[in-house]
Amino acid sequence: MIKTWLGQHWFVFNLTLKRLVSEPVANLLSILVMGIAISLPAGIYTLVENLHTLSGYTQTAPQISLFMKQDSTRQDMDNIRVRLEENTRVAGYLYVPKDQALYQLQLDNGFDKAVQNLAHNPLPDAFIVDAENISTDVIEQLLTEMKTWPEIEHVQFDSAWAERLAALLDFGRIFVFILFTMLSIAIVAIMFNTIRLQILTRQKEIEVSKLIGASDSFIRRPFLYFGAIQGFAGGVTAWLIIVYVIQVLNDEIRTIAGLYALDLQLQPPDHGDIISLLFFAAWLGWLGARVSVASHLRHIELR
Amino acid sequence: MIQFNHVSKRFPDGYMALSNIDLTIETGEMAFVTGHSGAGKSTLLKLIAAIERPTSGSITINGQNIAQLKPAALPLLRRKIGFVFQDHKLLFDRNVFENVLLPLQISGFDRNTAASRVRAALDKVDLLKKEKVMPVTLSGGEQQRLCIARAVVHRPTILIADEPTGNLDTVYAKDIMAMFYSFHQVGVTVLIATHDASLLEDNHHRIIALQHGKLAA
């Protein structure tokens, strides 16, 4: 039973491949159109994800400054150290004792005269904390938590930069999403038309099949396979386009990055993304074919 | 057993193809449907395969009222019937073998069983040597035989033929008729529509005569 079922599907799969090959130019062109349509949002998505990864490496990663109370003790410092080390959202931290901070102030800003006139060091001991990543959620949680620590006088975070980048990435993602949605609709529409033409040219075959007892699913099957296979091929094309473009961009980036002594490379989409891309493309093709078949097969009259 | 009870068929344009037909065809019977063109022969045959649906009345095949079948149940009905179409309805983009294979693919036979059944059917109509040939290159008589092979390959219990000798000369027509007799002999219910009087000479089978959509007395 299952063997028969598999045999039927295998047969239709082969039949569909034969039909694809029998009209190579037309089918390659549709596959190319789909590939380009998918590669646009998928490519931008890849760039946005790369930007996201890159932003984690940059030296301007967000830092939180923790200022201790003036009368804090060595024990208080140790408490903070322990908490920072145990916190998974903290990537690292730097302890700046108040003497060092004062010394730095003298050196950096030419405040030496002013500093010398001070009766005592007004600066607090401080920790400079690197957050694990720049997502506003993580930072928000860290800030809220730190503010509750009794040893801390003041928590300072210049969030503007991180928020700007996060907003930019969010914008990028929304843009990708909108592009994906619109081009997906376009692909479904293209497939709708392709299948409509196929149904017209195969009208006689459909009619004869119906007359000798073919079920609707039997008649639909080759068209659905056609849509799914063409969609899948479009996905593969998109993937190749993205890989190629990334390679070209990487050559350029290598030159620029070399000038700044940086090691920057765009990463191609990972396996999970590629598999999602291929299956999504196949599904879009299938969907277009399914809608087309549903609306056109009804009009085939038996004579 | 095929039973027509008060069956009428009116086409959407108002043309009354059949009116008030009462008819019983026994299982295993062979019968001819005759009448002038336009008498309703084709419509009568198409009603049995539910290609046309009656406007009123009931048609039962082995106790099942096919006038009330839901669209989803039609494929199973049609797989029990072999239909030799007046215009052959062969598929010209595939060879002889693949044309005959189609009903078996539809019924879901596995490849090996299907292949041997196709060859058996082609052998019966004497087309085995042409299994790889495309139908366009076949003569009219060969195309007709191909259509018969496709109609019987899934071993239907009812075989219906609409003008099977339509454009054939007498010798070929006799060949074709001999094939139908042999199916009748193995117990298949055979129903043939024809306006060809020569087919009906020295024939002891039942004749159902239609006249303007009514059974002639």
Side-chain angles (χ1 to χ4, degrees):
Chain A
M1 198 58 189
I2 287 174
K3 207 181 146 206
T4 311
W5 184 82
L6 280 178
Q8 280 183 346
H9 278 266
W10 178 241
F11 170 79
V12 175
F13 180 74
N14 277 310
L15 182 78
T16 311
L17 284 186
K18 265 184 222 153
R19 281 180 190 172
L20 275 168
V21 176
S22 72
E23 278 183 84
V25 180
N27 286 320
L28 276 179
L29 282 177
S30 340
I31 289 170
L32 197 65
V33 167
M34 275 195 284
I36 291 170
I38 299 169
S39 73
L40 261 172
I44 294 175
Y45 170 79
T46 309
L47 286 180
V48 169
E49 286 308 295
N50 264 293
L51 201 64
H52 181 69
T53 321
L54 273 181
S55 67
Y57 294 127
T58 47
Q59 288 168 343
T60 42
Q63 290 181 328
I64 301 168
S65 304
L66 292 180
F67 297 107
M68 308 289 295
K69 288 186 172 148
Q70 276 290 350
D71 54 357
S72 53
T73 62
R74 184 163 290 276
Q75 181 60 43
D76 292 338
M77 310 291 173
D78 289 341
N79 287 347
I80 299 292
R81 274 205 182 88
V82 170
R83 283 195 208 118
L84 288 176
E85 263 153 33
E86 282 172 354
N87 197 318
T88 50
R89 288 191 279 268
V90 172
Y93 67 92
L94 179 72
Y95 171 58
V96 186
K98 53 183 164 190
D99 297 339
Q100 192 192 327
L102 190 67
Y103 178 65
Q104 202 70 36
L105 192 67
Q106 265 175 297
L107 282 186
D108 286 355
N109 302 333
F111 281 134
D112 45 347
K113 283 241 173 70
V115 169
Q116 273 160 18
N117 288 335
L118 288 171
H120 63 97
N121 184 354
L123 297 175
D125 291 308
F127 288 90
I128 296 167
V129 179
D130 288 319
E132 171 217 19
N133 71 47
I134 60 151
S135 94
T136 39
D137 283 354
V138 168
I139 287 169
E140 213 58 54
Q141 282 166 2
L142 263 179
L143 289 178
T144 327
E145 197 181 331
M146 286 166 170
K147 276 173 189 160
T148 63
W149 296 349
E151 299 88 349
I152 300 297
E153 173 76 38
H154 180 64
V155 180
Q156 189 183 311
F157 174 64
D158 179 16
S159 63
W161 182 86
E163 274 169 9
R164 253 177 248 141
L165 183 63
L168 205 64
L169 287 176
D170 281 347
F171 173 79
R173 291 205 179 99
I174 290 169
F175 181 68
V176 165
F177 178 76
I178 292 171
L179 211 58
F180 242 126
T181 311
M182 294 203 318
L183 288 167
S184 298
I185 293 170
I187 288 169
V188 169
I190 293 170
M191 192 48 75
F192 182 90
N193 254 333
T194 310
I195 295 296
R196 188 179 68 91
L197 285 176
Q198 281 226 344
I199 289 173
L200 286 178
T201 56
R202 307 212 162 266
Q203 197 150 6
K204 190 167 178 207
E205 175 185 330
I206 294 167
E207 188 199 336
V208 171
S209 302
K210 268 194 170 180
L211 283 173
I212 59 183
S215 61
D216 284 349
S217 67
F218 180 90
I219 290 168
R220 274 198 298 261
R221 208 174 288 147
F223 299 107
L224 300 185
Y225 264 91
F226 188 91
I229 291 174
Q230 224 179 48
F232 190 83
V236 172
T237 312
W239 173 32
L240 295 179
I241 291 173
I242 291 169
V243 168
Y244 177 72
V245 169
I246 283 182
Q247 210 158 24
V248 171
L249 287 179
N250 268 342
D251 285 344
E252 288 306 308
I253 289 173
R254 206 171 292 129
T255 320
I256 298 168
L259 294 175
Y260 291 91
L262 288 170
D263 183 25
L264 291 182
Q265 285 284 283
L266 292 175
Q267 296 302 315
D270 62 31
H271 294 299
D273 282 344
I274 291 165
I275 290 169
S276 316
L277 172 78
L278 295 183
F279 277 92
F280 183 65
W283 180 78
L284 283 180
W286 178 89
L287 183 69
R290 184 73 182 76
V291 177
S292 188
V293 163
S295 63
H296 295 117
L297 278 189
R298 254 182 293 140
H299 301 308
I300 292 184
E301 292 289 324
L302 298 183
R303 274 174 289 129
Chain B
M1 193 166 69
I2 305 167
Q3 260 182 316
F4 282 64
N5 286 312
H6 308 296
V7 173
S8 296
K9 172 67 184 178
R10 182 197 293 275
F11 282 100
D13 60 5
Y15 178 69
M16 200 72 179
L18 290 174
S19 51
N20 205 22
I21 302 285
D22 282 299
L23 182 66
T24 302
I25 296 154
E26 298 295 336
T27 304
E29 192 181 348
M30 181 161 183
F32 289 88
V33 183
T34 64
H36 295 289
S37 52
K41 303 187 296 287
S42 290
T43 307
L44 185 88
L45 299 187
K46 283 177 179 170
L47 284 171
I48 297 172
I51 297 168
E52 298 287 358
R53 312 303 290 267
T55 319
S56 63
S58 71
I59 302 161
T60 55
I61 297 179
N62 300 330
Q64 189 182 31
N65 186 354
I66 59 165
Q68 286 174 350
L69 281 184
K70 293 201 176 95
L74 295 180
L76 279 177
L77 167 74
R78 291 185 186 143
R79 286 178 211 173
K80 289 181 201 151
I81 298 171
F83 209 116
V84 179
F85 301 100
Q86 189 169 12
D87 54 353
H88 301 165
K89 296 199 188 294
L90 297 172
L91 297 177
F92 290 98
D93 62 343
R94 49 188 83 189
N95 66 27
V96 165
F97 183 91
E98 287 163 338
N99 264 282
V100 182
L101 184 63
L102 187 61
L104 300 180
Q105 284 173 335
I106 286 170
S107 307
F109 279 82
D110 73 78
R111 259 196 103 65
N112 291 333
T113 319
S116 61
R117 281 215 187 181
V118 169
R119 298 217 164 85
L122 284 175
D123 192 32
K124 237 176 254 171
V125 299
D126 207 14
L127 278 178
L128 193 50
K129 281 180 193 145
K130 300 211 169 181
E131 67 169 54
K132 296 240 164 60
V133 165
M134 301 304 274
V136 212
T137 62
L138 298 178
S139 70
E142 285 171 329
Q143 290 192 3
Q144 188 62 268
R145 271 144 56 197
L146 176 56
C147 192
I148 293 172
R150 189 184 63 189
V152 300
V153 69
H154 56 300
R155 297 180 190 161
T157 53
I158 299 169
L159 180 58
I160 295 171
D162 195 356
E163 301 284 1
T165 59
N167 306 312
L168 303 179
D169 55 42
T170 327
V171 182
Y172 281 130
K174 285 233 154 72
D175 271 1
I176 299 281
M177 285 315 296
M179 284 171 196
F180 285 115
Y181 287 127
S182 73
F183 291 119
H184 165 58
Q185 268 159 11
V186 294
V188 179
T189 308
V190 181
L191 204 56
I192 299 169
T194 183
H195 66 274
D196 186 351
S198 69
L199 284 183
L200 305 172
E201 288 165 12
D202 53 69
N203 152 56
H204 56 279
H205 293 288
R206 178 167 162 208
I207 292 170
I208 300 160
L210 285 175
Q211 226 165 19
H212 306 300
K214 291 181 179 145
L215 285 177

